[in-house]
Amino acid sequence: MKNFFKNFIIVFVILIVLSAIYSFYYSSPQSKEIIPLNQVVSDINNGNVAKIAIQENKLEIELKDGTKKTSQKEGEAGLTESLKNLGVDPEKLKEVSLEIKSEYGTSYWIINLLPFLLPFLMIGGLLWFMFRQAQKGQTQAMSFGKSQARINSPDKKQKTTFKDVAGAHEAKEELQEIVEFLKFPKKFIEIGARIPRGVLLMGPPGTGKTLLARAVAGEANVPFFHISGSEFVEMFVGVGASRVRDLFQTAKKSAPAIIFIDEIDAVGRHRGAGIGGGHDEREQTLNQILVEMDGFETNANLIVIAATNRPDILDPALLRPGRFDRRVVLDMPDIKEREAILKIHARNKKLDKDVNLRQLAERTAGFSGADLANLVNEATILAARKNQKTVNQTDLFNSIEKVLLGPERKSHVLSKKEKEITAYHEAGHALMAASLKNADPVHKVSIVARGRAAGYTLKIPSEDKHLRSRSEFIDELSVLLGGYCAEKLIFNELTTGASNDLKQASELARALVTKYGMSEKLGPITFGDSEELIFLGKEITESKNYSEKKAAEIDSEVEKFIKDAQKTTEKILKQKRNKLTQIAKYLVEKETIEKEEFERLIKS
């Protein structure tokens, strides 16, 4: 319908233009007075006529003052003869310029043929648009099953290499083999080695899976076909499988090449999990991917790289040898890798000389590469908004909080009472973190609203941790309950400000019992089936593999963890009530306490 209206408007415009052209040639540009022939003779005798144009029997008279008139002569006689018969002065007639116009000029043909041709032109235009639209629709129908992959040619000047990827040393070493296979395939084929057919990149979001795939293509200097798993599946049955076939056929023509399928879990989930069985469109697409990967010739220099955040839900057929032979795990970067990543993202940024990226790396434990890139960009935007010429260390530190918690909401003004409650709440968190040896150190305490939080206590681990102990979890529970217990202790009243803390504490306590086996009463047992129930491609719950009696024991243990943490928190806050009040009053006055100020308050 949209194309119909578009074509109708185009034809209508063409019709208007043709009508305008016809009107231009058919009608005189200005109105001309029609006079009798004796009036022409009178004007000639009076010396008023400058020029007469003769076209058959029609006369176009132009006077010396620029006025134009028309007249008609006799058909049987010439103009001179007719004028003499009417008494024209021969001497005056000699002063008039006479011009004879041909009747068969361009204007003649336009004026005479356009009324007949115009309907045919309109019909022809409509037929042309109809055939054009039909051909376009046919082309779309024929190309509907074509691959939507985007290709990056190796000829581009700005190509990604391993130098552009900081950290991930083990992953780059593993992928270096793929580069060798693509650059020197004969070396491996001659010795009998089989070229890997697939590489699966596994890791949390933002760890650089797509960047690594591009780096492999850049190092090997081969074409790079990039497509998302969701782009295969359409509402029409068979389109996904058709696009898979077209993608692999196109890539084989460009071999050696790399096919990169991002978010492969969109089509690679375990088969048979949804309604429709083997006839489900997503499963048909997965079947075609399996066939294409398993159908490579032994000398086909084509490698599939796929990325996913959820390798646990992929179909086993994708993970077997012969399909994805290599599995590369990408973890969150450690402190050295974070510093290297920050250096890469800061290359084209104007930083102050005193900027210390090592300190920034220390404060960003748990950040992915994408988080760090966003952090540097946010700091640059912040500096530009303040009309600075360079980015300083404070801008970078402030951007950490913005990435973690959101922008400052300075317009969110608290009342005096709410400000005092928030100050004691955050002071409770901070004091508990400073009092427990297994808690992370406090870097900042603030009652300036950020995101949805009225205040926050920023705790950052002093070193990267890959394992967490039971003592750390128990201390974390006490820190989470610090704000709740502080409000209860000081005001003998509770507010909704602790709701998120209680939610996190409850989830952590339940994980200690059901997931980590850290309950002394229930022992080293996990509860809840680890196999996820999937319906229509989405997990909805975990199966319950324990009795109602055991469920009651689990609830009892979760409650015990929470109660024990509450007792510890209440005991410490009562003992250090003066310090709690000191920190809270300082917060009310200053609104923000940095790490150095906080440590000074604790020691005083």
Side-chain angles (χ1 to χ4, degrees), residues 432-484:
M432 288 304 301
S435 302
L436 300 171
K437 64 177 182 179
N438 295 309
D440 295 329
V442 175
H443 279 253
K444 189 175 184 178
V445 188
S446 176
I447 58 172
V448 177
R450 274 189 180 272
R452 300 180 64 182
Y456 59 94
T457 301
L458 186 62
K459 301 187 284 78
I460 299 176
S462 55
E463 58 183 11
D464 295 307
K465 296 180 181 180
H466 301 286
L467 297 174
R468 299 289 299 274
S469 66
R470 184 175 185 272
S471 300
E472 289 175 340
F473 283 132
I474 291 175
D475 285 357
E476 179 64 21
L477 283 174
S478 296
V479 174
L480 287 170
L481 294 174
Y484 173 88

Side-chain angles (χ1 to χ4, degrees), residues 58-89:
K58 183 179 179 182
L59 304 179
E60 294 182 0
I61 300 100
E62 182 178 346
L63 303 181
K64 291 181 178 180
D65 60 0
T67 306
K68 292 184 179 181
K69 300 180 180 181
T70 61
S71 185
Q72 195 80 14
K73 75 178 184 64
E74 298 177 2
E76 294 80 5
L79 175 63
T80 306
E81 183 180 352
S82 298
L83 294 176
K84 285 181 179 181
N85 292 336
L86 293 173
V88 71
D89 186 348

Side-chain angles (χ1 to χ4, degrees), residues 156-174:
K156 291 186 177 180
K157 296 180 180 179
Q158 294 181 345
K159 63 180 181 180
T160 305
T161 63
F162 285 149
K163 292 181 180 179
D164 301 309
V165 183
H169 301 295
E170 294 80 6
K172 286 192 286 188
E173 288 178 6
E174 185 74 14

